[in-house]
Amino acid sequence: MASYLEQLDYLAREISDNFPGSDPLISQLITLITTYSATFTYIHDPFTSRVTASLVNTLISSLSAIDAESFVPGDDMVPIIASAQVNAVACFTARLFYDTSFNRLAKWRPRWEDGNCQRVRYNDSLDGFMHGLRALQTQLSGKARARLQNVAKAVKMVLLKDSLPELLVPLTRLAELSGVDIQTIFISQSPWEDIKPPMGAAVDPFHLPVRIQPLAFVSPKSCATDTLRILTSRFPADGDLAATPHTYHPALAQLYAQYASALYSACSPFTRDPHELTYVAAAQWPSFVAPVLEAQKGAVEFHPIPEDVRLRLLRMFLPTFTAALEALLPRRTHASAWSRIPDVIEGAGADERNAEMVTIHSLTTLQKYILLAAFLASSNPPRTDMRMFARSRETHFKRRRGGGMRKAPQRSTSAPAKVSQRFAGPGAFPVDRLSAILASLLEEHDLELRAIGPEFTQPGEYTEMEIGRVHTSGAIAELAAAKLLLRVSPPDRLDGPPMYKCGISFDMALALGRDMRVPMLDLIWEAG
């Protein structure tokens, strides 16, 4: 039977394999958690706090999963550890913070069917939270021979100072106020000097900074070698070599290693977070390996990939790595939508068109119609809306179509030539004009695809109701946040409706129109 110290050594090696380059941090954390040490620890990681938070959560969860009864009964070095990791972004109120802490410390998942069956409420105030910690320690201590030594709490310090400033000082003095053997660990990108409360009310923490190399200015776990180890470890190593060729075939492991190295060299100037790089690599890999799988189609076994083919693939896809990073790092789209766009777009401005293309394809149907309506509102003069979009019987035959060559009116030679709206840039339009054009497009091209109830008897009644719903305003706000609609009026302006401009190009509007089966050339006043 292995001793407790041997179990800790095995656990440290296992976590070190999943988080390369973190051996000093893992060793220090195990010592802090399993022995009598500081009650308040502050971990400062300015570059990869998400990775550090994941490491701390994995380590504490593994320590709390160790069964104290499996060791020698007289060994008093084996603690019972209950842990809770709380994200300050998600727990933006004190009650949410208390409930989340208690549920995770007690390993309890509340269900709707259970209701509120508590006789004593521990989430009403800070004093109730302290009483709940004492009750929880008594409950956990009576379940095993070993004593309760640590209740480790990891708090991700992102918005705690702004959302819950009244909890900052009590959390630093949690062991003193509650009388419970408890440790509090803060994890943040900011140094403690920027977060600590004034007047010296908080306890000075035990600082545990993630050491930074003096020249490279990156943490050891985020250097090239360790990050590449993390990226390549995400490729499944086990598998049947004789299986049909697929995206993650074991024979592609060497190609994936070269692919990960090229992706890191292209994206490392912008981010070294292994989680973000892994996400970008997983999104781009299906498109990268598609030509290889196409060449292997119908083969009984996977043939080796020549070195010149690998180099050509890397050289062809290298410009798309930064485009993928620009779209996926700020979450302008998701990996599934990115994998559905064309593999490579050649020519100047390919990165911008790639990002714009993937953003367009990830939109909902309503947002696509809003973009088409916005492009028409920016391209057509307001006086032409009645002719282009009116649906009444009187104006149906007077509707003037675009797309053809029109004879320019006779002008004097001294007057300047009129510039087409297509080359003059998008014009501003109010949101009520956008809603009117959107209603016309939905009534003309989307009415047959919707299930309309029998209570809607008048033409356009259902469309008018849908346009007035809050989700339409929300879709416009999301497009403005994605820079597909550009707001030109000040946000604090109260007189008049908001003014917008369309942010997509002419070619992108035509492609979107073909996708939605809307004849854009017939609706643009000056299509030539």
Side-chain angles (χ1 to χ4, degrees):
M1 180 182 297
S3 63
Y4 184 63
L5 294 179
E6 293 175 349
Q7 182 73 17
L8 293 181
D9 292 338
Y10 173 78
L11 180 63
R13 291 192 299 269
E14 183 180 3
I15 296 179
S16 179
D17 293 338
N18 296 328
F19 296 92
S22 303
D23 297 343
L25 181 61
I26 294 173
S27 177
Q28 289 180 332
L29 284 175
I30 291 178
T31 304
L32 287 173
I33 295 171
T34 57
T35 60
Y36 290 101
S37 58
T39 58
F40 175 40
T41 305
Y42 192 86
I43 301 178
H44 174 217
D45 188 350
F47 297 103
T48 55
S49 60
R50 287 179 55 192
V51 180
T52 303
S54 178
L55 185 151
V56 173
N57 186 33
T58 303
L59 177 61
I60 298 179
S61 300
S62 302
L63 290 174
S64 62
I66 296 177
D67 186 9
E69 298 183 358
S70 62
F71 299 98
V72 180
D75 190 1
D76 60 350
M77 296 296 294
V78 182
I80 299 176
I81 298 177
S83 64
Q85 182 170 13
V86 184
N87 192 333
V89 178
C91 300
F92 49 87
T93 64
R95 177 165 292 185
L96 279 175
F97 183 87
Y98 298 152
D99 287 337
T100 305
S101 300
F102 283 134
N103 292 336
R104 294 182 179 177
L105 286 171
K107 298 181 180 179
W108 166 257
R109 296 181 64 89
R111 297 181 302 175
W112 180 265
E113 294 81 5
D114 297 335
N116 186 9
C117 56
Q118 296 180 355
R119 296 182 179 179
V120 182
R121 299 180 63 90
Y122 296 121
N123 60 354
D124 289 336
S125 62
L126 180 62
D127 185 62
F129 181 62
M130 301 302 171
H131 284 287
L133 289 178
R134 298 188 193 103
L136 183 61
Q137 185 190 33
T138 303
Q139 178 183 357
L140 294 177
S141 299
K143 287 187 177 181
R145 297 185 300 269
R147 55 187 169 79
L148 176 64
Q149 181 177 353
N150 295 290
V151 180
K153 181 184 297 293
V155 182
K156 187 177 180 181
M157 291 291 300
V158 179
L159 295 178
L160 187 62
K161 180 183 177 182
D162 299 329
S163 59
L164 299 174
E166 69 278 3
L167 287 183
L168 197 56
V169 174
L171 284 177
T172 62
R173 297 179 174 270
L174 200 55
E176 174 186 349
L177 296 175
S178 63
V180 175
D181 189 7
I182 186 170
Q183 293 184 8
T184 304
I185 302 176
F186 284 175
I187 305 171
S188 177
Q189 292 180 337
S190 304
W192 172 245
E193 288 74 16
D194 297 342
I195 296 178
K196 68 177 180 180
M199 308 299 294
V203 177
D204 291 333
F206 176 77
H207 291 276
L208 192 59
V210 178
R211 291 180 296 178
I212 302 175
Q213 295 178 359
L215 297 179
F217 292 98
V218 294
S219 55
K221 65 177 180 299
S222 298
C223 64
T225 304
D226 295 331
T227 305
L228 287 177
R229 284 177 57 190
I230 296 176
L231 290 178
T232 53
S233 65
R234 299 299 186 265
F235 192 89
D238 53 345
D240 187 9
L241 291 174
T244 306
H246 55 87
T247 306
Y248 288 95
H249 194 277
L252 296 173
Q254 186 177 0
L255 177 62
Y256 187 85
Q258 292 181 326
Y259 161 79
S261 177
L263 185 139
Y264 177 81
S265 63
C267 300
S268 58
F270 309 101
T271 179
R272 295 185 177 92
D273 191 340
H275 285 183
E276 298 293 346
L277 293 176
T278 302
Y279 186 73
V280 175
Q284 188 71 9
W285 173 250
S287 298
F288 179 84
V289 80
V292 178
L293 297 179
E294 185 68 23
Q296 301 281 348
K297 182 182 294 185
V300 178
E301 59 181 9
F302 208 99
H303 301 291
I305 304 174
E307 186 67 23
D308 58 335
V309 175
R310 300 177 187 176
L311 295 178
R312 284 202 304 269
L313 274 175
L314 292 173
R315 185 166 53 251
M316 182 175 61
F317 277 87
L318 189 60
T320 66
F321 292 156
T322 54
L325 185 68
E326 290 177 2
L328 297 173
L329 183 61
R331 295 301 187 267
R332 295 171 58 186
T333 184
H334 51 87
S336 178
W338 178 263
S339 62
R340 291 196 298 266
I341 67 169
D343 298 337
V344 181
I345 299 179
E346 300 291 346
D351 291 353
E352 290 77 5
R353 290 198 297 272
N354 258 328
E356 189 178 24
M357 177 84 69
V358 69
T359 305
I360 293 297
H361 281 283
S362 62
L363 298 178
T364 63
T365 301
L366 178 61
Q367 290 175 332
K368 292 180 181 179
Y369 275 111
I370 292 175
L371 272 186
L372 293 178
F375 183 81
L376 293 173
S378 287
S379 302
N380 296 343
R383 58 182 175 82
T384 63
D385 289 349
M386 183 63 67
R387 298 184 182 182
M388 303 296 291
F389 305 107
R391 290 181 51 83
S392 64
R393 183 176 298 273
E394 292 78 14
T395 58
H396 179 72
F397 295 101
K398 298 180 182 180
R399 188 173 175 180
R400 187 175 181 181
R401 296 283 183 175
M405 297 295 294
R406 295 183 176 85
K407 184 176 180 181
Q410 298 293 332
R411 299 180 181 272
S412 61
T413 56
S414 59
K418 182 181 178 181
V419 180
S420 174
Q421 185 65 36
R422 175 183 172 186
F423 302 104
F429 55 86
V431 71
D432 51 359
R433 185 182 173 214
L434 172 66
S435 300
I437 298 178
L438 175 62
S440 177
L441 292 179
L442 292 177
E443 190 73 13
E444 184 77 21
H445 303 282
D446 194 57
L447 186 63
E448 299 178 355
L449 303 178
R450 290 177 286 172
I452 302 177
E455 64 273 13
F456 300 101
T457 57
Q458 299 297 327
E461 185 179 2
Y462 179 79
T463 303
E464 184 177 357
M465 183 197 69
E466 288 293 325
I467 294 299
R469 290 186 183 273
V470 68
H471 72 90
T472 304
S473 301
I476 295 176
E478 290 179 3
L479 292 174
K483 303 302 181 182
L484 297 175
L485 288 181
L486 308 176
R487 179 161 182 167
V488 296
S489 60
D492 54 350
R493 174 182 164 184
L494 299 179
D495 54 329
M499 303 288 292
Y500 291 95
K501 284 184 179 181
C502 185
I504 63 175
S505 61
F506 180 80
D507 296 333
M508 193 61 63
L510 293 184
L512 185 58
R514 288 192 297 268
D515 185 28
M516 305 303 296
R517 298 183 179 180
V518 177
M520 293 296 292
L521 290 178
D522 292 341
L523 298 176
I524 299 176
W525 184 253
E526 295 178 354

